[in-house]
Structure formats: C-alpha cells, structure tokens
C-alpha cells in the first residue's frame, strides 16, 4: 500500500449520511498516511462531499465547489464526491473543469488510489460497484465526540415518486448485525454516549439479509453497550413500525422515546400519487399505538406540500391532521420538481407561490402547537445532554430532541460540566421551540 504525507480537507454538505461517508473517507486516507486538516488553505487535497437531493441543496453544493476551486491554485487537487456528483456526473465534468476527480457515493474505496497517483487531472468517476451487504468501515470521528451516527444500511427499495435517492445510492443493503454492533462498540470506546441510528428506511433493516426486519434485535444488542446512554431512531417508516419494535422501545430505557417518521402527507389521494406505502388511516393508527404504548413518546415527522395534484381539500385535510395530531416536532417542505423522478413527468403541478403559502400556513399553525406542548413542560425535570458551553451557561437537549434538528434547553449552573454530560434540568420558561431551566 503506497503511503504519502499529503494533507486533506473535507467540506461536507447535506444530511447525516454524508457526514458518515466523509468520516469513512477520512479514515481511508489517514490509513495511507494522509493528515486531516481543518484549514482548506493548508491542504494538498480539497474534497467537497455534495448533496443533490433537492434544488436548494444542489445550488449550495455548486457554490461550495466553486469556493474550493478558488483556493486550488496549481498544486492542490480538487475532488467532488457525494450525491450531486453521482447524479450529475457528466454535466459537472463538462461545466467545472477546475475539478480533478468526480466520484459518486459508492466509490470511496477507490478514491485514495486516485488521489495519491501522479496524474494531475482525472475528471472522471470511478463508478464503484454496489455490493449486496453494507460492509464494516473504520471512521474518523470529530475530536471530543459524544454524539454520533450509526448507519445500519445504505440505499433504498422504496419507489417514492418525488425521490431520486434509489437512483443515487442504489438498492437497500443492510450491514450485518455483528458489524453494526462492533462499530457501535468502537464508537463507545471513543467517547460516544448518544447513538443515532440512520438509514434511508431504518425500519426495513435486515429484510434483505435475514428475510425479516431485524431492527428490534439490533436495538436490543446495542442496549447492552454500557457506555451508550441514549439511542435515537431516525427515518423510521410508518409501514415498518411493528408491535415488536414498539415493545422494544418501551422496554429499554436507553432507547429514546422519540421516533422520526417521515409521513409526507395524510390525504390518501396525495399519498397514492406519491407512491407511498402508507395511508391516512395507517398513519393515524401508528401514531395512536405509539402514544398508547410508549410513555411520553415524542414523534417527529416531515411533510411535503404542493405535490402535483394536491387539491385544496387535500391540503385542508393535512391542516386538520396537524391540529388533531399535535405533533411534537414537525418539518414542512414545499415540493421540489426533480428531474429523473416519477413526479417530474406528472401533470397538475402547482405554482411556486401556492406551494410556499401552504408550507408557511402549516408552519404557522405548528408554531402555536409547539408552544403549547412546551408550556406543558413547565415545572417538570428532564435529563439534558450538553451541546454548548458559554461561561457558566449551557445549551443542551432532552431525550426528545435530535442534535442540530430539534428543540434546545438553556440553563445556568454553578457546577462545571463538559460537552456530552447529562444533567437534570427543571424547566422554568417555555417558548415556541426552546426551553429555559435550572439544574437540580
């Protein structure tokens, strides 16, 4: 294996899955003798890990590519990888000649050899092969990490009309249980206290390898890792929330009573056009079962408004559902028309101003609901994990909040704490999205 003393910098955009991929790539390069730097000006190799999911993400990725290109000079190599590079490889090669190497989301194993070769310009993609199993990979976690993601699968077998992810990341392929547990154990040894479980469709985990959903069994195994205090589930689809999964969450204190369930809509007309597996009735029943069986469960979801063919009645039904469901954490997006998806070919598309008005209407409604739910927390005491420290004041999150996504809790304490410490905080003030308290 050829080694080098080159330095590299990674600019990561998009979701937690991209953060994970960048950590894997960093480990691969460091195994070859490279040094990771936080200063792009000091790097021999500049890497932009892009997002290409929706239009705004594509624009941001391109801006970052040109920003890195301005630093390149004659001696640095510029690499573009990730979803945008996978999805628009040929266009990018033609339009951004400053880039030396374009690779996709399945090419990380091959990238070190390309980067460390003597060739100056290789504007091409590796086009790596997609295996049937997501292999175990070493990663480089940021220094002093206490919260980290565990990616248990890659790709997706769903055919949602608005989504390009299956074309970008390929079919669903799970990581073996023993590999996922091993990775979590290594993370725990490195100081991780909070484990966030991710995949494109987390509840589908194991069906491709074992013939049945194995998320409950994986969770039970992860709960045995002593150093892990919180386990959080993201991207759990409604049709995969089984009685066994609910029972597993309820029976294990380490698993946060928090589920991220991207429902997208509630009107059957829209769900059908979206090619979703859920119905309005199945979503309502899932919410009911979760709240009946998991104490104080907090549900996070995302909704997509303005999908082609969404009528005024469909939207009114969604608004009524938001009122009745009183969702704890809610994100709303206006439909983005993405080429290469089924929805791109659909008729009955809505004007941009209608989509934005509908999005804003739901978020305005949710603002008052969120404040009411937070007001109900006044006087109660919660465990809070510390994320920020400011001269004796602290900002953190409860078990019901994902890092950098959900609500925050600020408090002042005379005690000295470190990042990642879990303390008991009594809530004294409550606002739309944030809480204020005092340590007890």
């Amino acid at each position: 294996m050829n080694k080098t003393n080159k330095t590299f910098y990674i600019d990561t955009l998009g979701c937690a899955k991209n953060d994970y991929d960048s950590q894997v790539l960093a480990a691969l390069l460091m195994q070859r003798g490279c040094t990771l730097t936080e200063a792009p000006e000091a790097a021999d190799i500049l890497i932009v890990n892009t997002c290409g999911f929706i239009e705004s993400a594509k624009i941001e990725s391109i801006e970052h590519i040109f920003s890195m290109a301005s630093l390149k000079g004659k001696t640095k190599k510029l690499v573009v990888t990730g979803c945008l590079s996978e999805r628009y490889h040929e266009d990018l090669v033609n339009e951004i000649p400053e880039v030396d190497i374009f690779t996709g989301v399945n090419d990380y194993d091959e990238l070190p050899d390309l980067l460390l070769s003597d060739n100056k310009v290789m504007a091409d993609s590796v086009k790596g092969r997609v295996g049937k199993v997501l292999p175990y990979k070493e990663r480089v976690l940021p220094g002093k990490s206490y919260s980290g993601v565990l990616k248990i699968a890659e790709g997706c077998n769903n055919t949602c009309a608005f989504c390009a992810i299956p074309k970008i990341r390929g079919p669903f392929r799970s990581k073996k249980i023993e590999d996922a547990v091993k990775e979590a154990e290594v993370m725990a040894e490195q100081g991780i206290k909070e484990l966030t479980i991710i995949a494109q469709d987390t509840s589908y985990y194991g069906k491709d390898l074992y013939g049945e959903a194995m998320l409950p069994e994986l969770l039970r195994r992860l709960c045995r890792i002593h150093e892990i205090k919180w386990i959080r589930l993201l991207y759990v689809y409604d049709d995969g929330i089984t009685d066994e999964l609910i029972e597993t969450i309820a029976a294990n204190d380490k698993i946060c009573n928090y589920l991220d369930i991207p429902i997208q809509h509630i009107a059957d007309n829209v769900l059908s056009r979206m090619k979703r597996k859920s119905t309005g009735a199945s979503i309502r029943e899932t919410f009911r079962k979760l709240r009946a069986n998991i104490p104080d469960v907090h549900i996070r979801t995302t909704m997509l408004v303005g999908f082609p063919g969404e009528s005024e009645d469909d939207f009114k039904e969604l608004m009524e559902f938001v009122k009745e469901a009183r969702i704890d954490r809610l994100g709303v997006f206006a439909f983005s028309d993405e080429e290469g998806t089924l929805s791109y070919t659909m008729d009955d598309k809505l004007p941009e101003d209608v989509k934005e008005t509908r999005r804003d209407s739901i978020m305005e409604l949710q603002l008052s609901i969120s404040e009411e739910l937070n007001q109900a927390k006044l006087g109660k005491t919660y465990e809070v994990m510390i994320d920020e420290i400011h001269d004796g004041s602290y900002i953190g999150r409860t078990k019901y909040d994902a890092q950098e996504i959900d609500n925050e809790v600020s408090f002042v304490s005379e005690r000295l704490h470190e990042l990642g410490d879990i303390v008991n905080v009594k809530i004294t003030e409550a606002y739309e999205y944030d809480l204020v308290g005092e340590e007890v």
Side-chain angles (χ1 to χ4, degrees):
M1 181 184 291
N2 294 328
K3 291 214 170 188
T4 182
N5 58 359
K6 292 183 178 180
T7 59
F8 67 97
Y9 171 84
I10 304 181
D11 182 11
T12 305
L13 303 163
C15 64
K17 303 176 191 72
N18 273 13
D19 289 331
Y20 187 99
D21 291 342
S22 290
Q23 293 164 8
V24 169
L25 178 56
L28 288 169
L29 288 170
M30 291 175 72
Q31 290 165 10
R32 302 290 290 272
C34 294
T35 302
L36 177 63
T37 177
E38 296 299 317
E41 299 84 0
D44 301 305
I45 301 167
L46 301 170
I47 303 170
V48 184
N49 189 353
T50 60
C51 178
F53 185 49
I54 58 176
E55 187 64 27
S56 59
K58 289 184 280 188
I59 293 171
E60 182 183 16
S61 291
I62 291 171
E63 289 174 348
H64 279 245
I65 293 170
F66 281 117
S67 176
M68 289 297 106
S70 69
L71 299 175
K72 181 185 172 185
K74 295 182 179 180
T75 59
K76 302 180 190 295
K77 276 189 177 179
L78 176 57
V79 182
V80 174
T81 187
C83 292
L84 187 77
S85 183
E86 181 81 35
R87 190 175 180 188
Y88 299 105
H89 163 65
E90 292 182 5
D91 292 338
L92 293 172
V93 167
N94 293 328
E95 294 176 13
I96 314 181
E98 296 91 338
V99 176
D100 298 302
I101 304 171
F102 287 100
T103 65
V105 296
N106 300 304
D107 300 330
Y108 296 110
D109 287 342
E110 293 87 351
L111 187 52
D113 282 336
L114 290 176
L115 280 170
L116 304 180
S117 71
D118 293 329
N119 294 335
K120 294 298 182 183
V121 178
M122 292 175 294
D124 199 3
S125 173
V126 181
K127 299 187 185 302
R129 297 178 180 177
V130 175
K132 292 184 177 180
V133 179
L134 186 66
Y136 173 83
K137 297 283 188 181
E138 292 186 11
R139 296 156 59 196
V140 175
L141 298 177
K144 298 183 179 179
S145 292
Y146 54 90
S147 178
V149 298
L150 175 65
K151 184 162 71 170
I152 60 174
E154 180 61 280
C156 188
N157 287 353
N158 294 314
T159 57
C160 301
F162 53 82
C163 184
I165 292 297
K167 291 185 177 181
I168 295 172
R169 291 190 171 264
F172 194 97
R173 50 211 187 272
S174 298
K175 187 175 292 179
K176 293 179 180 177
I177 286 183
E178 54 267 31
D179 285 346
V181 172
K182 176 184 176 183
E183 189 171 337
E185 290 172 341
V186 171
M187 293 172 69
E189 292 171 0
Q190 295 175 333
I192 295 297
K193 297 179 181 178
E194 178 186 35
L195 203 61
T196 299
I197 310 299
I198 63 170
Q200 294 300 145
D201 179 356
T202 308
S203 48
Y204 193 87
Y205 172 74
K207 288 185 180 180
D208 56 321
L209 277 185
Y210 306 105
E212 60 180 316
M214 295 296 285
L215 182 59
E217 175 59 22
L218 175 61
L219 289 172
R220 289 189 286 266
R221 295 272 293 273
L222 293 174
C223 284
R224 299 173 194 164
I225 303 174
H226 175 72
E227 296 86 353
I228 301 296
K229 306 302 180 185
W230 292 1
I231 299 174
R232 187 179 306 282
L233 289 171
L234 298 186
Y235 316 121
V236 185
Y237 279 44
D238 160 59
D239 61 289
I241 299 177
T242 61
D243 291 344
E244 183 187 10
L245 179 59
I246 293 174
E247 291 166 5
T248 302
I249 296 170
N252 291 276
D253 290 339
K254 285 190 177 185
I255 306 175
C256 298
N257 292 352
Y258 167 108
L259 273 90
D260 170 76
I261 311 168
I263 64 171
Q264 307 307 346
H265 216 281
I266 198 67
D268 285 340
N269 169 55
V270 180
L271 290 169
S272 176
R273 289 176 64 86
M274 286 180 170
K275 303 299 181 186
R276 300 287 288 182
K277 296 177 182 177
S278 301
T279 64
S282 74
I283 292 168
R284 289 183 172 90
E285 176 61 11
T286 295
F287 280 29
R288 186 199 66 77
K289 287 172 67 174
L290 287 169
R291 287 170 168 165
N293 293 283
I294 301 176
D296 202 24
V297 67
H298 281 50
I299 296 172
R300 173 177 179 79
T301 193
T302 48
M303 294 176 177
L304 184 62
V305 297
F307 190 79
E310 180 190 61
S311 67
E312 188 66 37
D313 286 343
D314 294 329
F315 178 68
K316 287 180 180 178
E317 183 178 353
L318 187 61
M319 286 282 283
E320 288 303 314
F321 176 72
V322 172
K323 291 178 185 177
E324 75 182 47
R326 296 179 64 79
I327 299 162
D328 303 279
R329 312 284 183 254
L330 175 62
V332 184
F333 299 90
F335 170 72
S336 176
D337 204 11
E338 295 297 314
E339 62 268 35
T341 63
L342 177 61
S343 58
Y344 194 72
T345 65
M346 288 182 173
D347 297 326
D348 300 324
K349 290 177 181 172
L350 279 64
E352 289 298 322
D353 61 332
V354 173
K355 293 189 288 186
E356 292 171 5
T357 298
R358 290 182 177 182
R359 177 197 61 203
D360 295 345
S361 296
I362 292 186
M363 287 311 300
E364 185 176 346
L365 171 60
Q366 178 63 21
L367 196 67
S368 61
I369 294 171
S370 180
E371 183 174 14
E372 291 173 6
L373 293 173
N374 276 349
Q375 289 286 334
K377 291 180 167 64
L378 286 170
K380 296 181 180 179
T381 299
Y382 296 93
E383 285 187 333
V384 172
M385 180 174 286
I386 296 173
D387 289 328
E388 298 178 34
I389 301 174
H390 304 281
D391 297 325
S393 65
Y394 300 90
I395 298 176
R397 300 165 287 119
T398 70
K399 277 188 173 182
Y400 309 118
D401 299 286
Q403 191 176 32
E404 298 180 353
I405 298 176
D406 296 318
N407 297 2
E408 294 180 334
V409 180
S410 58
F411 65 97
V412 177
S413 175
E414 296 180 359
R415 302 177 187 176
L416 293 178
H417 294 294
E418 297 181 353
L419 294 175
D421 283 355
I422 299 174
V423 300
N424 290 317
V425 176
K426 182 179 180 180
I427 304 305
T428 58
E429 300 175 44
Y431 303 97
E432 290 98 336
Y433 291 119
D434 297 315
L435 302 168
V436 178
E438 56 188 24
E439 184 178 3
V440 297

